[in-house]
């Protein structure tokens, strides 16, 4: 809106292909920063997808969906214990969950 594109050096947005394409076209020299909310949403969805793909034969992941989706601070004592037990198994879901927690911790640090 009649602004100077040269005055812009960085743009923050979600990961919409339309936004990215528009910025590459109109602001090609600028840095793109994706917002935390959308990054964490994708990571949490990925953890759930991995959980769904994990083999069902063992029954370990049965009725555990919300253990992996809830923030650790919102888990009950029983859920914490169940999660700790599951972390000791060689599960892809547990590895993905650990990546999620690491990202969450990075994003919670002051910039």
């Amino acid at each position: 809106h009649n602004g100077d594109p040269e005055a812009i050096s960085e743009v923050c947005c979600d990961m919409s292909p339309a936004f990215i394409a528009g910025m590459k076209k109109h602001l090609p020299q600028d840095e793109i920063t994706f917002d935390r909310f959308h990054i964490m949403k994708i990571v949490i969805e990925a953890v759930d997808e991995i959980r769904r793909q994990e083999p069902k034969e063992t029954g370990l992941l049965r009725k555990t969906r919300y253990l992996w989706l809830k923030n650790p601070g919102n888990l009950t004592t029983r859920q914490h214990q169940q999660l700790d037990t599951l972390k000791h198994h060689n599960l892809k879901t547990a590895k993905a969950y650990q990546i999620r927690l690491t990202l969450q911790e990075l994003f919670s640090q002051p910039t």
Side-chain angles (χ1 to χ4, degrees), residues 4-11 19-32:
D4 180 12
E6 297 298 321
I8 300 170
S9 61
E10 187 173 357
V11 179
F19 284 140
I20 295 168
M23 283 187 272
K24 285 182 179 179
K25 180 179 178 183
H26 298 287
L27 303 166
Q29 73 284 355
D30 296 338
E31 293 288 324
I32 298 174

Side-chain angles (χ1 to χ4, degrees), residues 46-100:
V47 171
D48 194 42
E49 181 63 29
I50 291 167
R51 180 196 57 81
R52 280 187 258 135
Q53 292 175 2
E54 197 95 53
K56 306 221 184 312
E57 301 88 45
T58 63
L60 287 173
L61 294 175
R62 201 173 162 167
K63 297 183 180 183
T64 64
R65 179 177 188 211
Y66 294 103
L67 288 178
W68 309 106
L69 297 179
K70 281 175 112 177
N71 283 324
N74 296 335
L75 294 172
T76 65
T77 303
R78 183 172 178 255
Q79 289 172 326
H80 272 293
Q81 291 169 346
Q82 187 179 10
L83 194 58
D84 286 341
T85 301
L86 289 169
K87 286 181 190 177
H88 295 295
H89 292 83
N90 190 24
L91 298 170
K92 291 178 184 176
T93 305
K95 292 174 188 172
Y97 181 75
Q98 194 57 50
I99 292 168
R100 173 201 165 187

